Amino acid sequence: DGGITQSPKYLFRKEGQNVTLSCEQNLNHDAMYWYRQDPGQGLRLIYYSQIVNDFQKGDIAEGYSVSREKKESFPLTVTSAQKNPTAFYLCASSITAGQTYTGELFFGEGSRLTVL
Amino acid sequence: AQRVTQPEKLLSVFKGAPVELKCNYSYSGSPELFWYVQYSRQRLQLLLRHISRESIKGFTADLNKGETSFHLKKPFAQEEDSAMYYCALSRPSNTGKLIFGQGTTLQVKP
């Protein structure tokens, strides 16, 4: 079954703890993204990566970190520095401009993080 | 600044009625605009993009550069159209760094 897999679906964490959300894709896409979804605010870009071993900050990167050691994987760490981490997190992937980019993002099912 | 605005949080219509989901954008260039949809318990997915000029599931959207709008329309709503709809703008360099609107929940009543 091809697509994007995010885990865990639900995660609880105490204040002051770091937590890592997993995102794996088997679509052979070069680009991967992390978005945060909050009610009434739509989706906001946290980090993105166009290629392995390279990533850039999005609009709301503070308090988050990522890595891109493999094409298939783009984990997101929510650190204790993130002021308001309770949210729904969506991972996505796409082909890039060099691969006849169409603008389509493929999304995972999301991970809901709750900070207690 | 680049921005996408969807003024309605919730749009409720009866089955068979016309639907128009509003989207306005601000962008200093040639925009690429999209509509994404999230049905209940499903992933967010692309519905249509303006460059394709396509009709998907009876929905169409026309880019109006003069009014900086990209409203989504369907002449006759169906119950299965009930979902959350997001309008999105692609940033320069044709990347997937989309700017999303706040989203509109469409509720089609029987």
Side-chain angles (χ1 to χ4, degrees):
Chain A
D1 186 23
I4 306 225
T5 302
Q6 289 185 240
S7 63
K9 271 192 172 181
Y10 301 95
L11 187 60
F12 297 87
R13 141 193 138 180
K14 292 181 181 178
E15 278 195 37
Q17 289 180 335
N18 292 354
V19 63
T20 298
L21 307 179
S22 169
C23 178
E24 303 277 331
Q25 56 103 353
N26 61 5
L27 299 169
N28 198 34
H29 287 165
D30 281 330
M32 296 186 74
Y33 314 83
W34 275 104
Y35 283 89
R36 172 178 168 143
Q37 188 177 28
D38 294 286
Q41 295 196 56
L43 280 71
R44 292 178 291 167
L45 182 65
I46 304 172
Y47 266 99
Y48 65 100
S49 169
Q50 302 278 45
I51 199 166
V52 175
N53 291 324
D54 187 45
F55 50 82
Q56 285 81 42
K57 293 181 179 179
D59 300 312
I60 55 165
E62 186 175 349
Y64 299 98
S65 66
V66 294
S67 63
R68 187 85 187 276
E69 298 175 2
K70 298 187 299 182
K71 187 175 184 177
E72 303 79 18
S73 179
F74 191 42
L76 173 74
T77 297
V78 184
T79 75
S80 56
Q82 167 50 230
K83 297 280 186 274
N84 186 21
T86 294
F88 191 63
Y89 293 88
L90 282 170
C91 179
S93 72
S94 74
I95 59 175
T96 57
Q99 296 172 285
T100 316
Y101 176 69
T102 63
E104 181 171 7
L105 293 185
F106 294 81
F107 285 89
E109 292 183 307
S111 294
R112 185 167 298 281
L113 172 63
T114 302
V115 174
L116 305 171
Chain B
Q2 298 151 359
R3 186 182 301 164
V4 176
T5 303
Q6 293 178 250
E8 302 141 328
K9 269 191 175 180
L10 172 66
L11 183 63
S12 187
V13 302
F14 285 102
K15 177 182 172 182
V19 170
E20 183 178 55
L21 296 162
K22 291 184 169 31
C23 172
N24 289 91
Y25 67 90
S26 61
Y27 181 70
S28 56
S30 294
E32 285 197 44
L33 286 148
F34 308 85
W35 277 99
Y36 277 79
V37 61
Q38 188 167 27
Y39 300 104
S40 179
R41 298 190 187 87
Q42 293 188 31
R43 300 170 188 232
L44 189 60
Q45 59 188 284
L46 178 67
L47 179 62
L48 56 79
R49 52 195 147 220
H50 91 271
I51 58 173
S52 300
R53 294 183 171 273
E54 56 203 345
S55 173
I56 303 292
K57 298 184 179 183
F59 284 98
T60 59
D62 291 319
L63 178 61
N64 185 323
K65 290 188 178 180
E67 295 183 358
T68 59
S69 69
F70 187 56
H71 302 329
L72 184 68
K73 299 177 184 178
K74 185 169 183 176
F76 308 104
Q78 303 299 314
E79 288 180 71
E80 55 265 30
D81 295 328
S82 296
M84 172 72 89
Y85 291 80
Y86 289 99
C87 182
L89 170 71
S90 179
R91 301 182 216 212
S93 307
N94 288 333
T95 69
K97 296 183 292 178
L98 301 182
I99 299 171
F100 284 86
Q102 302 93 322
T104 299
T105 299
L106 174 63
Q107 185 182 74
V108 181
K109 296 178 284 189

